[in-house]
Amino acid sequence: MPEPLPTAQSKIVDAFAALLRAFPDLSGTPVYTERDPDDGLDADTELACIVISVENWTFQNDYSQGQSRHRMVVNFDYLETSARAGQVSRAAMEKVAFILAAIGTDPTLGGRLEDFDERDVAPPMDNGKSIGGSSLQGVCAFYTPRRDHFTIIGVGGDLL
């Protein structure tokens, strides 16, 4: 089976992951982009970690320009074993601060985004699992050609 083509949305998630992996204060913290919520994490080898996921996205077509403006909600989950339901741990506070600092070094992801707007942080829920984590949520704005969700129209019109 052939590899799926990278969509504009997956290119942005991958760019966020690369940015976080390269940030010195996050070195040693694994960053995942393809984790199913039902997949278990090995507490000894995979925690603590950051999981980047897309919650949803919407788009509006600009018929005169032949492009679509996308608004994509991205979650950056910091998962750990010591997370307590209903509370954001100090470790999570620090990781969220470093995630935002990393994004601050390139908030357009090399010209892919018009904007990234961090929104809030939610504590872990009591889900009966032995791990939990806090989630930073942000909203990205970017453009694609109309009906072409594989190509990003970058800042300045570059196709990415």
Side-chain angles (χ1 to χ4, degrees):
M1 183 172 203
E3 237 348 87
L5 291 174
T7 64
Q9 297 78 14
S10 63
K11 289 177 184 178
I12 289 168
V13 169
D14 291 344
F16 273 125
L19 184 67
L20 299 186
R21 288 178 185 128
F23 194 69
D25 291 311
L26 292 173
S27 68
T29 303
V31 178
Y32 301 108
T33 61
E34 289 289 326
R35 293 302 295 220
D36 186 303
D38 293 328
D39 286 348
L41 290 165
D42 185 295
D44 295 327
T45 60
E46 295 182 295
L47 292 180
C49 68
I50 298 168
V51 177
I52 304 171
S53 62
V54 173
E55 184 170 311
N56 67 54
W57 93 88
T58 60
F59 52 93
Q60 295 177 318
N61 295 321
D62 182 335
Y63 302 100
S64 66
Q65 296 291 323
Q67 61 189 20
S68 298
R69 183 177 191 270
H70 297 256
R71 182 181 174 278
M72 185 168 75
V73 178
V74 180
N75 292 316
F76 300 84
D77 297 320
Y78 175 66
L79 302 178
E80 57 181 327
T81 57
S82 61
R84 294 182 60 188
Q87 296 180 2
V88 178
S89 72
R90 287 182 181 252
M93 290 178 202
E94 179 184 65
K95 290 299 180 187
V96 166
F98 285 140
I99 290 168
L100 289 171
I103 292 169
T105 66
D106 186 7
T108 67
L109 294 178
R112 290 172 183 85
L113 301 180
E114 173 186 67
D115 188 30
F116 176 79
D117 184 23
E118 58 274 12
R119 293 292 169 96
D120 61 19
V121 177
M125 304 284 290
D126 185 7
N127 59 9
K129 296 181 181 179
S130 59
I131 65 165
S134 297
S135 180
L136 165 67
Q137 190 171 76
V139 179
C140 303
F142 63 96
Y143 294 85
T144 65
R146 187 162 177 236
R147 298 188 185 107
D148 175 0
H149 289 207
F150 295 99
T151 305
I152 298 170
I153 301 173
V155 177
D158 294 335
L159 299 180
L160 309 168

